[in-house]
Amino acid sequence: MADNYLSDLNEAQKVAVVNTEGPSLVIAGAGSGKTRVLTYRIAHLLRKGVPANSILALTFTNKAAEEMKERIIKIAGYNNSRYLWMGTFHSIFARILRVESDKLGYPSTYTIYDATDSRSLVKTIIKEMGLDDKVYKPSFVAARISAAKNNLITAQVYASNKSITERDRISKIPMLSEIYLRYAARCYKSGAMDFDDLLINTNILLRDYPDVLSNYQQRFNYILVDEYQDTNYAQYLIIKKLSEKHRNLCVVGDDAQSIYSFRGARIENILNFRNDYPDYALYKLERNYRSTRTIVKAANSIIINNKGQISKTVYSENSEGDRIRIMESMTDGEEGFRIASDIFDRSLSEQVKWEEFAVLYRTNAQSRIFEETFRKKNIPYKIYGGLSFYERKEIKDILAYLRMVINPNDEEALRRTINYPRRGIGKTTIERIFEAAANKEVTTWEIISDSSSYQPLLTPATWKRVQVYTDLVNSLSSECTNADAYGAAIKTATVTGIMKELKEGQTPEEISRYENLQELLNAIKEFTDAAETNGEPNDLAAYLESVALLTDRDTEKEEDRNKVTLMTMHSAKGLEFKHVYIAGLEENLFPSLMSLAENMGLEEERRLFYVAVTRAKEYVTLSYALNRYRWGKLENCTPSRFLSEIDDDYLQYPPSAEKNDNYRPPEYKRPFDRRRTAMTDKSVEYTSPHERNLKKFKPATGYNTGDQQLAAEKDLKEGAVVYHERFGRGTILSIDGEAPNTTALVVFDDSGEKKLLLRFAKLRLNDN
């Protein structure tokens, strides 16, 4: 054990580590050692003699939890650390629900549906209800259900809330509440929970069973939460309930990096921590160990424009570093080519590995141009957040069989496996079985397991083929009862015929699928051995739970390492690279058009820009195009307002056409007010406004001026039928605010309800 572990910390970090009692808020600036403080604080508790099983530590990725645990073991020793409750929110709550599942009417072997399973079930329900899947898009409906659950709105509450159902009616999706009701019922009948259920059901458990709440309150003397700014309402409530008794709650995060509101994250959780715990202690980690001084100062000049923030002064003692480069391209195609060329040249001239480069963009669609140009230049790349190993068909097929082994009521797994490998059970037969189960209000497994009671449903020949499947599942369930996860997986892959089918493949794609199956079995073996060594459950149920809760970052493979990373800015959080290129810095793309309707949306976009810039250790390139293709049409673009918020001292501008060896500032400048804001430890307030001369990039030709937009706004009234280039035909429900911040609430025929800032919306009156 390391006796001098505190010497690894700077003074600010040490103060945050050793003061372990009472509620604590640790505000950690980008690159300031947030994870180290959380790790050492836990290790310090263990070294003080606090029992490991009385410490609850919650993270957002399994990888972060594992890395922290390894470091804690080095400091506090394996035996002292062995029984820590450390993991992601979902994995910890799934563990609690396994023990308490009977109280909520679930089996202890309940299945966890991933996003693909959830969308598949939603799609099935939409089809069964005879609804148009272009109106009720499965991904949109699944997202609405997820958002409701994150706000603790159950299907019954949703359906009975007149305000919600009326809004759905106006948005021309009146059957959404019925879809939600059916979705919830089908999950329950299948003995399955989706990711959001793990949170909402934990809340229900703690709400409805005071003895259970008291038990876990008593158990967890110390609760620590990573990335607190990313917690949603459901997570916030669970943390608040569990910490009520001992009140030794330590949350670590950075309000300036709160960028996941679209997933339900609430920046208010961290900003209002002092309201929930008036006696809290505030600790600030302000030294950035990652980036150059120039990058840190530039990032500070960006984020200072936000009103909702906790005041801090992030600084760096690294080298001054190069200025941030501005790259201007005529088109988005040229932007892709120039960035690819720059990466290729720098890699050769500086002997930098590909993995040290990252290209960040606002939307996934922007990756196409970079993929094409990287292929042409033979630059190896990976797309972060692409198809996960566990989303590949052959992997999902075998995992579905393993799910059937422990929970035959899992209808999504049954649908996937009943005719794979092929056994002559067609789609029509499968739909007939599922329809009968829905009509009889029983599980599909009950139907196919009792052919005598449902004889007229299928022909005798079809029943025989179905019987082969049910006998197979029953046999595997019996034989795998006492087996570890690896033994059960090998048995299942062999007996089902999946291994034989994949092994016989001859094409490169088929060979790859067989290799993927081998890789999966290797992973299951590693899980089984590690669990056995650590004295943890190593059965099939434990393995399937661990797989269901994996994140993209947990599944990165070694061969993906030395490649240029292409990713959205949202995916980049928590990562770092030597060279960072931020592409598409144009108005209506970044900041996104959808964010401009309200100040909170714009502030989150600015935080996203702050996160993107602070991923860089040494070099940042900010790129924009003056023209970009949208819906097959080349449109003029205006450089992002965020470029004008960075102090000139930290920027290197594009060379002029006349003098390539010289850099010049933008031609168009104008002064405007920048309100600097700060949040004291007690309240949020404006500081005195400062007048500054800040650059403004020259608008592209054809840019609508404020006067032109205001003239158009005069004709926009409530009830007017309008047309939007992206969303199509719609009707204005209401108009609020005064120019230049007038907004319109519009319900579009195809896209539903949208709130638009009129000076950017470019709405046209529809004469039809």
Side-chain angles (χ1 to χ4, degrees):
M1 292 190 291
D3 291 326
N4 61 340
Y5 61 97
L6 292 177
S7 63
D8 297 339
L9 308 171
N10 66 32
E11 193 57 35
Q13 292 171 338
K14 186 186 296 184
V15 171
V17 164
V18 300
N19 291 287
T20 58
E21 305 307 298
S24 303
L25 171 60
V26 180
I27 295 298
S32 63
K34 165 184 64 66
T35 304
R36 169 171 291 222
V37 165
L38 199 58
T39 302
Y40 277 62
R41 188 175 172 111
I42 296 169
H44 186 65
L45 286 168
L46 295 171
R47 290 293 294 267
K48 286 170 57 178
V50 175
N53 63 1
S54 70
I55 299 174
L56 171 63
L58 299 166
T59 67
F60 275 85
T61 67
N62 293 290
K63 186 175 181 181
E66 289 303 318
E67 289 175 353
M68 288 169 59
K69 194 176 292 184
E70 287 176 10
R71 182 59 181 154
I72 289 167
I73 289 172
K74 289 180 182 178
I75 299 173
Y78 174 74
N79 289 332
N80 289 343
S81 313
R82 185 174 181 179
Y83 298 110
L84 274 173
W85 282 69
M86 173 178 277
T88 63
F89 284 88
H90 292 90
S91 66
I92 293 294
F93 300 156
R95 180 177 171 183
I96 291 174
L97 289 169
R98 290 278 176 214
V99 177
E100 314 290 349
S101 58
D102 61 311
K103 295 179 176 62
L104 301 178
Y106 286 87
S108 61
T109 55
Y110 68 80
T111 300
I112 299 175
Y113 280 176
D114 62 16
T116 303
D117 296 321
S118 296
R119 281 195 301 272
S120 175
L121 178 54
V122 167
K123 185 176 181 180
T124 298
I125 292 169
I126 290 169
K127 183 178 179 182
E128 289 174 353
M129 293 175 66
L131 300 174
D132 186 348
D133 61 7
K134 292 183 176 61
V135 176
Y136 294 91
K137 295 178 181 177
S139 57
F140 166 76
V141 173
R144 284 289 289 266
I145 292 173
S146 176
K149 289 183 178 182
N150 284 332
N151 286 290
L152 301 183
I153 301 173
T154 63
Q156 291 75 17
V157 171
Y158 191 104
S160 62
N161 187 301
K162 291 183 179 179
S163 174
I164 294 176
T165 54
E166 177 63 15
R167 178 157 290 201
D168 285 347
R169 187 192 65 77
I170 293 172
S171 300
K172 298 187 177 179
I173 47 173
M175 299 304 292
L176 201 145
S177 61
E178 179 62 25
I179 297 172
Y180 187 6
L181 284 168
R182 294 193 185 195
Y183 175 84
R186 291 283 277 274
C187 285
Y188 186 77
K189 187 174 73 171
S190 296
M193 299 188 200
D194 62 24
F195 282 2
D196 301 308
D197 285 329
L198 296 175
L199 301 181
I200 198 169
N201 283 338
T202 301
N203 269 290
I204 291 171
L205 180 71
L206 300 180
R207 181 196 69 191
D208 294 349
Y209 295 89
D211 56 327
V212 174
L213 173 59
S214 178
N215 173 38
Y216 288 103
Q217 284 178 334
Q218 185 67 35
R219 174 175 297 184
F220 300 131
N221 291 347
Y222 295 88
I223 299 176
L224 302 97
V225 184
D226 192 15
E227 304 285 10
Y228 190 62
Q229 77 282 347
D230 294 336
T231 53
N232 60 31
Y233 182 58
Q235 290 163 329
Y236 160 80
L237 274 188
I238 295 170
I239 294 164
K240 196 168 187 295
K241 288 176 183 175
L242 291 177
S243 62
E244 279 177 353
K245 181 175 179 61
H246 296 290
R247 302 189 80 256
N248 293 321
L249 172 65
C250 175
V251 302
V252 182
D254 182 8
D255 54 289
Q257 297 185 64
S258 179
I259 58 173
Y260 296 127
S261 67
F262 66 96
R263 294 181 188 167
R266 293 163 33 114
I267 191 173
E268 298 91 346
N269 292 350
I270 195 167
L271 293 181
N272 296 334
F273 186 83
R274 69 194 188 283
N275 297 333
D276 291 327
Y277 307 94
D279 57 335
Y280 83 114
L282 176 65
Y283 305 99
K284 296 181 183 180
L285 308 179
E286 297 174 302
R287 180 179 175 183
N288 180 303
Y289 287 88
R290 175 189 301 146
S291 308
T292 63
R293 295 181 186 181
T294 296
I295 292 172
V296 171
K297 291 174 183 175
N300 287 344
S301 70
I302 296 166
I303 202 63
I304 201 172
N305 291 277
N306 272 6
K307 176 182 178 181
Q309 60 176 300
I310 298 174
S311 66
K312 56 184 172 293
T313 305
V314 181
Y315 67 95
S316 172
E317 294 184 1
N318 296 338
S319 64
E320 195 67 28
D322 288 7
R323 289 187 175 197
I324 292 174
R325 292 188 307 160
I326 304 293
M327 182 181 287
E328 179 184 273
S329 302
M330 287 303 298
T331 65
D332 47 355
E334 182 187 340
E335 178 185 51
F337 176 81
R338 292 188 66 189
I339 288 177
S341 299
D342 197 68
I343 290 174
F344 188 85
D345 294 343
R346 280 180 174 250
S347 177
L348 289 179
S349 63
E350 300 175 19
Q351 293 298 296
V352 180
K353 290 183 177 181
W354 298 117
E355 65 189 35
E356 292 285 3
F357 294 91
V359 180
L360 311 182
Y361 36 77
R362 181 62 180 82
T363 66
N364 280 305
Q366 291 171 257
S367 72
R368 179 191 62 81
I369 287 172
F370 297 107
E371 290 186 72
E372 292 176 359
T373 53
F374 279 35
R375 286 195 190 110
K376 290 175 183 176
K377 288 188 169 291
N378 291 319
I379 298 174
Y381 68 89
K382 61 180 177 182
I383 298 181
Y384 212 95
L387 185 64
S388 160
F389 175 79
Y390 289 94
E391 291 175 333
R392 292 167 179 160
K393 180 186 180 301
E394 61 275 12
I395 302 303
K396 289 195 75 69
D397 287 338
I398 188 67
L399 290 178
Y401 262 111
L402 296 179
R403 282 161 50 179
M404 286 299 296
V405 169
I406 65 168
N407 178 18
N409 289 323
D410 183 341
E411 295 198 343
E412 288 304 302
L414 189 149
R415 186 185 291 275
R416 193 173 191 99
T417 57
I418 192 170
N419 194 42
Y420 178 76
R422 292 186 184 277
R423 50 179 63 89
I425 304 173
K427 286 185 178 179
T428 301
T429 298
I430 295 171
E431 293 307 320
R432 191 176 298 162
I433 293 169
F434 273 81
E435 184 179 342
N439 292 336
K440 299 287 186 181
E441 296 186 347
V442 296
T443 67
T444 311
W445 180 254
E446 288 178 75
I447 295 282
I448 64 175
S449 297
D450 188 6
S451 58
S452 60
S453 298
Y454 302 98
Q455 192 64 49
L457 184 64
L458 307 173
T459 66
T462 304
W463 270 123
K464 285 184 180 179
R465 290 191 286 269
V466 172
Q467 190 69 46
V468 170
Y469 172 73
T470 56
D471 288 347
L472 172 65
V473 173
N474 282 326
S475 173
L476 284 170
S477 296
S478 176
E479 293 182 38
C480 296
T481 299
N482 298 317
D484 61 28
Y486 180 68
I490 285 287
K491 185 76 175 176
T492 301
T494 305
V495 172
T496 58
I498 292 177
M499 184 178 289
K500 180 176 183 293
E501 179 175 287
L502 294 180
K503 190 174 183 179
E504 291 174 349
Q506 299 298 317
T507 67
E509 292 80 7
E510 290 170 334
I511 293 170
S512 175
R513 286 196 286 271
Y514 179 65
E515 290 173 345
N516 286 337
L517 176 59
Q518 288 181 313
E519 182 64 24
L520 176 69
L521 294 173
N522 291 338
I524 297 175
K525 178 63 174 172
E526 288 178 13
F527 167 85
T528 304
D529 291 346
E532 186 174 347
T533 300
N534 296 328
E536 298 172 351
N538 66 353
D539 58 8
L540 202 50
Y543 170 72
L544 288 172
E545 179 179 300
S546 71
V547 169
L549 298 172
L550 287 175
T551 65
D552 287 342
R553 295 186 187 178
D554 300 320
T555 60
E556 184 179 19
K557 299 175 71 174
E558 190 63 38
E559 59 263 32
D560 287 337
R561 295 292 165 83
N562 192 26
K563 296 179 180 179
V564 177
T565 300
L566 305 179
M567 61 182 3
T568 64
M569 295 176 224
H570 283 100
S571 298
K573 188 167 170 292
L575 303 177
E576 59 181 39
F577 305 90
K578 185 175 182 180
H579 294 263
V580 169
Y581 295 77
I582 304 175
L585 273 161
E586 299 135 32
E587 284 292 305
N588 298 341
L589 179 57
F590 190 49
S592 161
L593 175 64
M594 301 301 294
S595 72
L596 299 176
E598 54 184 29
N599 188 52
M600 289 293 289
L602 181 59
E603 291 210 347
E604 178 150 333
E605 291 285 286
R606 187 175 286 113
R607 291 194 295 270
L608 184 58
F609 186 36
Y610 174 84
V611 166
V613 169
T614 54
R615 297 311 92 199
K617 293 189 279 188
E618 296 183 25
Y619 303 99
V620 177
T621 300
L622 305 179
S623 171
Y624 64 89
L626 295 175
N627 301 275
R628 184 173 295 272
Y629 275 99
R630 290 193 177 95
W631 305 102
K633 180 182 176 182
L634 193 63
E635 293 188 355
N636 295 328
C637 302
T638 304
S640 171
R641 69 186 69 191
F642 293 152
L643 291 167
S644 70
E645 294 179 355
I646 305 175
D647 287 347
D648 284 344
D649 294 344
Y650 313 129
L651 294 177
Q652 186 180 43
Y653 295 101
S656 67
E658 298 81 19
K659 204 169 186 179
N660 287 330
D661 59 344
N662 233 348
Y663 286 90
R664 62 182 173 87
E667 300 165 38
Y668 176 66
K669 290 188 177 185
R670 67 176 178 82
F672 66 96
D673 287 346
R674 169 186 286 180
R675 285 186 176 269
R676 297 189 178 230
T677 64
M679 177 175 173
T680 66
D681 296 346
K682 295 182 179 179
S683 62
V684 182
E685 59 186 14
Y686 279 111
T687 57
S688 301
H690 297 271
E691 287 281 335
R692 293 187 64 193
N693 284 330
L694 294 175
K695 63 195 179 324
K696 186 75 175 177
F697 283 83
K698 185 176 181 179
T701 307
Y703 174 69
N704 286 332
T705 65
D707 289 341
Q708 290 171 322
Q709 289 178 334
L710 286 172
E713 287 174 22
K714 296 176 182 178
D715 299 324
L716 298 175
K717 310 290 184 184
E718 292 182 11
V721 178
V722 294
Y723 182 81
H724 185 276
E725 185 168 344
R726 178 178 175 188
F727 303 125
R729 183 180 180 277
T731 303
I732 297 178
L733 299 180
S734 63
I735 294 178
D736 299 300
E738 298 181 357
N741 297 316
T742 309
T743 62
L745 186 63
V746 185
V747 58
F748 290 97
D749 295 350
D750 296 326
S751 307
E753 202 173 283
K754 308 288 182 185
K755 189 175 183 180
L756 305 176
L757 191 65
L758 288 183
R759 62 193 172 106
F760 291 110
K762 300 180 182 178
L763 292 174
R764 287 185 288 149
L765 285 171
N766 196 324
D767 297 328
N768 296 333

